[in-house]
Amino acid sequence: MNVIENVNNDLSQRVVVNTQTMEWQPSPSQTVWRKPLYREGGEYGPVTSIVRYDAGGKFRTHQHPQGEEILVLDGEFCDEHGRYPKGSYLLNPDGSQHSPYSDSGCTIFVRLRQYEGNDRPQVRINAQKNPWLQGMVEGLTVLPLYSQADHPESM
């Protein structure tokens, strides 16, 4: 497997990515595919990707140093902690581990190694069941997923 070290990692540059035209790249699992949107430092650095699990696709048990964030875009994503349909949001804190799989196949948006802090909770939200709120400007609605004092992110 040939992994590109860096992808769109100059954050001073505006980048537009059309994932529909990107080729799926293999992952360490032969039943899981990915389209890297951002990567710094190769396979074990921070990465943001669109990931597709084939039906029956799975990864072996693994840890998430610096955390993992997942938004299920299509299908059903699963691990030993639960089953997450389209619209589910998960935040696996620094040092957590799981054995992800999908019986029927799924597509997820994933951010890895971008959430340091062992004080973060494990978050599981079915975003399709949460209310959208009025945003800061007319016509904008937002769906709050996660924020925590002493951490800069607000998802």
Side-chain angles (χ1 to χ4, degrees):
M1 176 173 48
N2 186 17
V3 174
I4 300 170
E5 284 291 310
N6 298 311
V7 176
N8 301 323
N9 68 320
D10 181 351
L11 300 181
S12 69
Q13 299 295 313
R14 181 175 185 267
V15 176
V16 176
V17 178
N18 182 348
T19 60
Q20 298 296 316
T21 62
M22 293 175 71
E23 295 290 325
W24 288 103
Q25 297 178 8
S27 75
S29 166
Q30 297 195 8
T31 57
V32 180
W33 306 88
R34 58 195 175 182
K35 294 181 179 185
L37 308 176
Y38 163 80
R39 177 182 283 143
E40 187 171 348
E43 189 69 37
Y44 300 102
V47 62
T48 300
S49 299
I50 303 293
V51 175
R52 185 190 78 210
Y53 281 70
D54 292 340
K58 62 184 175 181
F59 262 112
R60 60 177 167 63
T61 301
H62 59 276
Q63 285 196 320
H64 285 290
Q66 298 178 336
E68 173 189 48
E69 178 182 39
I70 297 171
L71 180 64
V72 181
L73 302 174
D74 191 37
E76 184 181 61
F77 175 79
C78 308
D79 64 16
E80 66 273 27
H81 306 292
R83 302 177 80 82
Y84 311 101
K86 177 180 177 178
S88 296
Y89 172 81
L90 298 84
L91 179 65
N92 293 316
D94 188 5
S96 63
Q97 70 176 28
H98 67 156
S99 304
Y101 65 95
S102 180
D103 294 329
S104 58
C106 67
T107 304
I108 60 178
F109 175 83
V110 181
R111 294 186 54 164
L112 300 171
R113 291 177 288 285
Q114 297 178 47
Y115 302 104
E116 294 183 86
N118 59 8
D119 63 331
R120 294 179 191 263
Q122 191 162 53
V123 177
R124 305 278 187 257
I125 296 171
N126 184 337
Q128 290 189 357
K129 294 182 178 181
N130 285 18
W132 288 79
L133 307 176
Q134 176 61 48
M136 295 175 67
V137 297
E138 183 69 30
L140 173 68
T141 55
V142 295
L143 179 62
L145 298 171
Y146 167 79
S147 64
Q148 183 177 343
D150 302 324
H151 292 289
E153 305 86 15
S154 180
M155 284 71 141

